[in-house]
Amino acid sequence: MKIYLVGGAVRDRLLGIADENTEKDWVVVGSSSTEMLGLGYRQVGKDFPVFLHPGTQEEYALARVERKVGIGYKKFEFDVSSSVTLEQDLSRRDLTINAIAQKDDELFDPFNGQEDLNNGILRHVSNDFSDDPVRVLRVARFAAYFKNFGFEVEQETYQLMRQMVASGEVDSLTPERVFKELNKALSYRTPSAFFKVLTACGAYQKVFPSLNNHIYQNYSNSFEFLDNLNTNKAHIKFSIWLKDENKYNIKCPKQYQQLSELTSQFYQFSKDFINKSSREIFDFFTQTDALRRQDRFEDLLTVFKLLEIDIVPIKHLKNLLKNIDISRLDKLDFGKSIQIEKRLIIDLFIRRTKK
């Protein structure tokens, strides 16, 4: 049995960006499930043997080779016999920069990943890359992750990705997997590269078929408005990305869906907030449920602020409504009396604002 550190942990160490939070993945060569279980590892992989270390809980996978037996990213047969070599295992990985292994201080780099790291190139390891449509999403995500390092997708890799789109291989991606990669990309400082790579290989319209792509034609660099926003919250960036979409079909958590829908509904409204009527402003606070769903409303204000909208009057009026003294309201018809009080506060606010 030989154990090697592989993938992102090695790559990020070589780039000098690894830290205590960097996930470590290990590959085990010359072993078997029986031996791993006997050593106290706990098996968690269903499609192929992956084990959790009894102490660190880090993932250890048996070295494997795979053969595609159908369309999609789940249609594979695996060989995890003890005869599978390290190079064979590395050969099935997506990019050369992720196909470097390390044991102690020795590096194993059969596909020249270090050279591509030094040159800022995202290059596929082999033509087997096209067997797995998830790799289109992963390349796009790595382009976003490494954008600040100046990395570019190699042209032959782009060509393989275009062929995967044309063949229909990308159509087999599940909504859950699309969102998983999208969410990771949005958590980076420069997610624009994720969308640009998908657009360049023709996958954007396949992966997000319900979106109106024409809305980005006014930008000299279509998605760069998403870069370097002063937030690390993916659901905030998700809403900004979709701010001009009235309807979309992206499977996502409720938090993402609700905030993006409110952003789309009230983005234009908020830009001209102080010129709206009392009734329109009352409806805005009612429909956003601003006083009960305060965390969500704060997220909405964050979105507006990042879109360079003046949120000061919105926030000020919300605080006025929040601090209504309910003790002096009619208890017999509380619902009606609090609505009247809110309307009075909004009317007074509008008059004072427009003086």
Side-chain angles (χ1 to χ4, degrees):
M1 176 195 291
K2 291 184 179 180
I3 299 176
Y4 300 87
L5 183 66
V6 294
V10 179
R11 178 199 67 218
D12 288 356
R13 279 187 185 181
L14 292 172
L15 283 173
I17 60 175
D19 57 29
E20 65 275 6
N21 297 318
T22 300
E23 289 187 8
K24 295 179 180 178
D25 293 308
W26 306 84
V27 65
V28 182
V29 178
S31 186
S32 65
S33 296
T34 301
E35 183 176 15
M36 296 294 287
L37 293 172
L39 292 171
Y41 289 78
R42 180 165 59 90
Q43 185 169 343
V44 294
K46 295 180 180 179
D47 297 326
F48 51 86
V50 176
F51 303 84
L52 296 182
H53 189 281
T56 65
Q57 298 301 302
E58 292 170 347
E59 290 191 356
Y60 287 67
L62 294 180
R64 70 183 188 269
V65 291
E66 54 195 30
R67 182 173 68 90
K68 191 173 179 66
V69 293
I71 296 175
Y73 63 92
K74 294 184 177 180
K75 306 296 184 179
F76 290 90
E77 290 181 348
F78 300 98
D79 177 5
V80 292
S81 66
S82 58
S83 63
V84 176
T85 66
L86 175 63
E87 183 169 342
Q88 285 177 309
D89 181 88
L90 294 176
S91 71
R92 63 164 182 82
R93 295 175 183 269
D94 49 9
L95 298 173
T96 59
I97 64 172
N98 296 328
I100 309 171
Q102 182 176 357
K103 183 172 177 60
D104 299 322
D105 293 327
E106 186 177 3
L107 291 174
F108 300 85
D109 184 17
F111 303 103
N112 300 315
Q114 293 177 85
E115 182 178 348
D116 285 343
L117 273 179
N118 293 334
N119 294 327
I121 296 174
L122 301 175
R123 186 197 312 272
H124 63 285
V125 173
S126 74
N127 285 337
D128 290 341
F129 175 96
S130 59
D131 287 344
D132 186 352
V134 172
R135 289 173 171 172
V136 172
L137 298 174
R138 282 174 56 83
V139 170
R141 176 167 63 81
F142 283 124
Y145 185 64
F146 291 118
K147 183 183 178 183
N148 286 335
F149 288 85
F151 275 65
E152 297 287 344
V153 180
E154 194 261 344
Q155 286 305 308
E156 289 187 12
T157 303
Y158 258 131
Q159 185 58 36
L160 272 182
M161 293 164 69
R162 292 186 187 102
Q163 291 173 7
M164 294 166 71
V165 173
S167 69
E169 187 72 38
V170 169
D171 297 343
S172 63
L173 288 169
T174 64
E176 293 81 5
R177 193 55 196 259
V178 169
F179 178 77
K180 180 179 179 180
E181 298 297 325
L182 166 66
N183 196 45
K184 287 180 180 180
L186 288 171
S187 71
Y188 303 149
R189 293 302 305 173
T190 53
S192 68
F194 175 79
F195 300 107
K196 288 190 288 186
V197 168
L198 292 181
T199 301
C201 71
Y204 185 89
Q205 289 179 310
K206 293 280 189 177
V207 175
F208 306 115
S210 61
L211 301 190
N212 299 318
N213 296 313
H214 68 274
I215 66 172
Y216 300 111
Q217 291 177 0
N218 292 329
Y219 293 90
S220 58
N221 206 332
S222 302
F223 302 94
E224 284 198 341
F225 63 95
L226 292 170
D227 289 350
N228 300 308
L229 293 171
N230 189 26
T231 180
N232 59 2
K233 296 181 178 180
H235 68 288
I236 298 285
K237 296 179 187 178
F238 182 86
S239 300
I240 292 174
W241 169 46
L242 297 173
K243 66 181 175 60
D244 295 310
E245 296 289 339
N246 294 321
K247 188 169 79 173
Y248 62 85
N249 184 26
I250 299 173
K251 190 166 186 177
C252 60
K254 185 179 293 185
Q255 179 188 27
Y256 287 66
Q257 180 181 345
Q258 291 180 347
L259 183 61
S260 63
E261 289 176 349
L262 289 174
T263 299
S264 177
Q265 182 177 356
F266 292 108
Y267 167 55
Q268 294 297 333
F269 176 93
S270 64
K271 292 169 70 173
D272 195 33
F273 180 80
I274 61 174
N275 292 317
K276 297 300 181 181
S277 69
S278 174
R279 181 69 202 181
E280 289 173 318
I281 292 176
F282 179 85
D283 289 344
F284 164 73
F285 282 106
T286 300
Q287 292 175 46
T288 58
D289 207 359
L291 302 183
R292 292 194 308 168
R293 301 290 302 275
Q294 293 189 47
D295 288 343
R296 187 180 69 184
F297 191 74
E298 285 300 315
D299 281 343
L300 184 62
L301 292 183
T302 298
V303 170
F304 291 159
K305 185 176 181 180
L306 290 171
L307 291 170
E308 300 182 345
I309 293 169
D310 181 10
I311 65 169
V312 172
I314 305 176
K315 200 162 189 175
H316 179 61
L317 181 51
K318 182 252 186 182
N319 288 333
L320 291 176
L321 296 172
K322 176 184 173 184
N323 294 320
I324 290 175
D325 182 5
I326 61 174
S327 64
R328 59 186 182 81
L329 299 181
D330 182 1
K331 302 300 188 296
L332 296 177
D333 196 354
F334 182 77
K336 183 177 180 180
S337 61
I338 198 168
Q339 285 194 23
I340 293 172
E341 184 69 16
K342 287 178 180 178
R343 290 293 297 272
L344 290 172
I345 290 173
I346 292 171
D347 288 340
L348 180 60
F349 174 82
I350 291 175
R351 288 198 300 271
R352 287 178 174 175
T353 301
K354 292 183 177 180
K355 279 185 178 180

